Amino acid sequence: MELNVIGKGLPKVDAWAKVKGKTVYADDFSLPGMLYAKVLRSKYPAARILSIDTSRAKQLPGVHAVLTAKDVPNNNLRAKFGQSTDVGAQFEGLYRVLAEEKVRFLGEPVALVAAESLQIAEEALDLIEVTYEPLPGVFDPVEALKPGAYPVGENESNVVSRFKIRKGDIDAGFAAADVIVENTYHVPFVDHAYLEPESGVAWLDEDGVINIRVSTQVIEHFRTVAEVLGLPQNRVRVIGTWLGGGFGGKEDITVESFLALLVWKTGRPVKLTYTREESLLAHSKRHPFLMKYKTGATKDGRIIALEAELIADAGAYTYLTPWVLLYATVNAAGPYDIPNVKVDSVAVLTNNPFTSANRGFGAIQPNVAYESQVDELARVLGMDPLTIRQKNCLRQGASLATGFTFDRYVALPEVAEKAWQALGPAKESQDKRIRIGRGLAIGMMSYGRLTFLHDSSRSYVKLELDGSAVIRCGVPDLGGGQAQALCQIVAEELGIPIEKIKIYISDTALTPLAGTTTATRQLYMSGNATLKAAREIKERLLTKASTMLNVRKAYLKIENEKIVSLVEPGNFVSLKDVIAQCSSEGIELFCEAQFNAPFTDIPASELITGQTHPDFTFGAYAVEVAVDLETGVVEVQKVVACYDVGKALNVLNVEGQLEGGAIYCLGYALMEELVVDQGRLKTPSFSEYLIPTAADVPDVETILVESGSGLGPYGAKGVGEPACNSIAPAILNAIRDAVGVRITSLPATPEKIVFAMQKKQ
Amino acid sequence: MGVSGFAYISPSTKEETLTVLSEAGEKGRIVAGSTNVLPDIRARKIAGCILVDISHLRELKGIEIAGDTVTIGSLTTISELLQSAVIAKEAGVLWQACRCFADPLVRNRATIGGNIANASPAADGVVPLLALEATVNVESKARGKRAIPLDEFFTGPGKSVLEPGELITSVSFAKTSAMKSAFIKFGLRKAMAISLASIGMVVGFNGDTIARVSIALGALAPTPVRARETEKYLAGKKIDDEIIARASELIKTEVNPISDVRASRDYRQHLTGVLFRRAIEAALA
Ligand SMILES: Cc1cc2nc3c(=O)[nH]c(=O)nc-3n(C[C@H](O)[C@H](O)[C@H](O)COP(=O)(O)OP(=O)(O)OC[C@H]3O[C@@H](n4cnc5c(N)ncnc54)[C@H](O)[C@@H]3O)c2cc1C
């Protein structure tokens, strides 16, 4: 099929407004009479609330509301976290709006204030008197697992969930192995560190509907907000803004319930924007994992046994922990065809910050471990990093340890080779203090949600009489080009220039619900829904044109705002004329379509088998680092990302995703860590929590493989999350190559490297 | 975040500033580039004071040379130092330090006076000035003018001998165009990093022996410090690998770093020796 719009490198429709500062982000928006909200947060990681006295705060002039748990109609929900289908108890958790009885983490919301100004709201916070009885708390997931450990919650166990995978006979596997590598890995808490902290403005409209204009990845939280307030779901509307980044941190509810409660109480519009420090302290984090790995291979380099034990720190509340743990479990053995596999995973509550979604969602933590293991095996066996991976990786027809079989093209051998070769000839350092090293890592990551979530998306496409088009689709755009992709699909299918397409996104009242912008699902899900709608309209146009031109439908194409005969190019009719004809005959020029992902059953036990995800994206990173032997500083000099993206709908955008993904986890590998000591954050601002600056980032070379084998429109796969997989272990492997030490806990700081080198000597 | 509970005064001359400061006493808080003051207000480290904004006082800006002495007005920004041919030539160690200070945006606002008064052990402007054996010139209504040697200025992290009502007007030092200099900052990333350790060095040679050397260290003690023992050891010596190796061990005994979330004491101590070797090699090159 010849494509006109798809596959090109088009600038994003939203780019100029952002560059010029015209985009109205959540905090840029204000309303007359608006109040300002602030959140009072717990000063202890674990304590009993003995009393809360809000009387002085309420008396402060300019204060309109001070709310505590008592004022919340439904403060404790069994939440499905934005999911509409029933997912079963093991995948739900407690969503508590404001702390009651016991606080579980430092920074937990305890009370809300709305006041005439931010200053007054802040002063009011100081006037709220909370008396706490500090409790011991538990801060290490391993401790929290022990019998008799401090209970983080009220009645529930500290264990959030457990999963396991069994394949073959693990003991026989290790018995037959010639070499065995064993290591324990640790990855830390990290933050999403988006440009835009959590923010929103809410108001009550003339129809008595609570409107919440908010920076969110999930507008479907309107249902939870309605439940919190005890209102019918159709009385809460969420309008999503263009996001200044999401990365999973805006997948859970952030400010929505707080805003709705304050609006309901005061009748006034209310704004709430977290400070950066609040964002670092109190919104979700990436799960730290402790990962014990044992991997065995035969002399000729065949990996025959893998045993992994994963312990995840869920922090103080469940949120998406069960799902993240499930991803980690399915990914634990990596994209390898291993006959004997045993994986056990557990996620545990602690009095640490709560953990939930973060780009990579449980897939990237085990990726650090299994790719380090494969590298170590290669070293023991004297194999090169590419050969061992090509020898063992999955191919079409092979299965994961869960039994899920890949019936589509698996690009692993190809992407690994292309990435590795793109590094070019190796060079020695001229400086005797610097050692150069190279590392390779491959990975897989799903796109689309867990199949038992029964995911679907809807999109509406309409042609106007002047030949322009409208799309309405409830997709939140995180800055990843989610809206642009849908415009391109309609432009391609209906033969109209992209400038003539207007898209309305992210509004629960006005746009068909498209599901969450998470799980690398929007192009796959909403792309397919939009494609289905556009093709339906195209079909009607072609049918009409067929009679108008007296040419059979099969011999017509739609292009450049015309419908043209394939056999006789001079024979055509303008799109506008076809539209006019359809319109006068009452033929519908709009279509709302729904796309459903493959559905599977909810896992019935801890043992995970069969299909859990619709499909996977495969990619590889190759990096070259220069390590300073004296200071331990790692400079990443080259990064190559090679991914099978199925089909690049917009080359510029796909490259942007890969570059962004590389940088996102380059920071994970080398510098990012939220240091939490006894539940207290030791890196409370961007002065201590370091992310890479422009000066720290090398050019990222991207190589796109387009196999056309994806489940998305035109054979596309998803790349948003997969893009940040594999770079961290590639860097660790390159450090190992350069200076001979295996760093097993992230981040690989200069200090760790120097002391590891000294220890080795 | 609002700046409530603060009074704000913007005097129009240095004289008026001194009067205002003397009246404000303990409550007065000078504001220059505000790159420390504003974050401190936001973090509630400063509250309820009178902000005395001096940022527009021309009298306190600029770089002057009189004979052998270079004088930098306290309101001179890090960017201005970086753009100054005089600083590049006469105070190479300071110029090099300005290059690794924060990022261009912060450098456009941050002043040298603010960097000194803030009294951070990691201050990147202070370490080179210490190596330049600079003098801080201060003025107040109560005590008139005082010239305080920089190495007597700091008393602890965030603490100095500056008294309420005192204004830093300038900092001065002797030209070092005849000497070699080096500054190395070690931070955990390439820009916008707080120094984990830093070193500033000014060396005068007599043929191939060291005639005079001053070495200043940042973030390795409660205040920026001189490495006096190492300086003494090196004075009069001909530089070779053996001497450098010994000096790089000696200098580690002169520091007293902390362990914190950024790095351990051991690592900072280790860096001291490494940075010393690199600085002296750079100075020699
Ligand atoms: C993002 C960021 C990055 C930074 N990076 C660095 C860095 O790399 N290296 C580094 O050293 N610092 C850094 N800093 C700290 C800061 O920029 C410097 O200390 C700067 O030199 C302070 O100068 P200022 O003019 O902004 O001082 P202000 O914030 O205005 O004042 C700082 C202190 O000095 C006092 N003060 C100011 N001027 C005078 C005066 N003339 N007389 C008496 N007291 C005075 C003030 O009362 C206040 O206590 C950084 C700060 C930020 C926000």
Side-chain angles (χ1 to χ4, degrees), chain A residues 33-209:
Chain A
M34 189 176 77
L35 302 175
Y36 295 82
K38 285 295 281 184
V39 182
L40 182 76
R41 299 183 178 281
S42 160
K43 290 190 179 124
Y44 296 94
R48 191 168 303 286
I49 299 177
L50 300 179
S51 67
I52 307 180
D53 182 353
T54 59
S55 54
R56 286 178 62 215
K58 280 179 176 155
Q59 279 157 21
L60 185 71
V63 170
H64 287 251
V66 182
L67 306 181
T68 63
K70 287 199 314 294
D71 306 301
V72 185
N74 290 304
N75 193 44
N76 295 294
L77 306 181
R78 284 307 294 178
K80 297 178 201 162
F81 304 109
Q83 192 45 48
S84 45
T85 41
D86 212 345
V87 286
Q90 82 185 104
F91 294 98
E92 296 176 356
L94 170 66
Y95 167 54
R96 174 171 288 168
V97 184
L98 292 172
E100 60 180 56
E101 288 177 36
K102 223 171 164 190
V103 295
R104 298 186 181 195
F105 72 99
L106 195 151
E108 179 168 0
V110 174
L112 305 172
V113 170
E116 299 279 345
S117 72
L118 207 49
Q119 279 89 334
I120 298 172
E122 279 170 13
E123 270 175 62
L125 288 191
D126 292 342
L127 297 176
I128 301 173
E129 284 158 33
V130 187
T131 35
Y132 295 99
E133 175 198 331
L135 296 169
V138 62
F139 308 102
D140 175 351
V142 176
E143 290 300 316
L145 272 176
K146 290 183 180 160
Y150 172 84
V152 175
E154 286 82 31
N155 305 315
E156 69 261 48
S157 143
N158 285 345
V159 174
V160 177
S161 33
R162 282 183 195 277
F163 297 114
K164 58 187 180 189
I165 291 177
R166 297 287 182 270
K167 180 186 175 190
D169 177 341
I170 194 71
D171 295 331
F174 283 119
D178 297 307
V179 295
I180 292 173
V181 169
E182 275 190 87
N183 280 303
T184 300
Y185 300 86
H186 183 261
V187 289
F189 285 103
V190 292
D191 194 72
H192 311 77
Y194 19 63
L195 278 173
E196 178 201 38
E198 299 74 3
S199 177
V201 174
W203 65 94
L204 197 62
D205 69 20
E206 61 276 26
D207 295 329
V209 173

Side-chain angles (χ1 to χ4, degrees), chain A residues 433 628 630-631 691 696 751, chain B residues 189-190 264 267 270 281:
Chain A
R433 296 182 181 130
D628 188 316
E630 292 177 347
T631 62
I691 58 174
D696 298 289
E751 172 162 3
Chain B
R189 62 182 175 192
K190 286 190 177 167
S264 71
Y267 183 63
H270 165 81
E281 282 169 20

Side-chain angles (χ1 to χ4, degrees), chain B residues 117-145:
Chain B
N118 193 56
S120 159
D124 292 321
V126 170
V127 173
L129 287 171
L130 201 55
L132 288 164
E133 308 194 301
T135 301
V136 186
N137 304 305
V138 309
E139 222 176 307
S140 67
K141 280 281 171 225
R143 301 186 61 170
K145 292 188 181 180

Side-chain angles (χ1 to χ4, degrees), chain B residues 29-30 32-37 101-102 111 115 117 123-124 168 185 192:
Chain B
R29 171 67 74 154
I30 297 171
S34 73
T35 59
N36 282 126
V37 170
F101 196 107
T111 67
N115 199 241
D124 292 321
I168 300 176
K185 166 173 177 165
M192 292 295 258

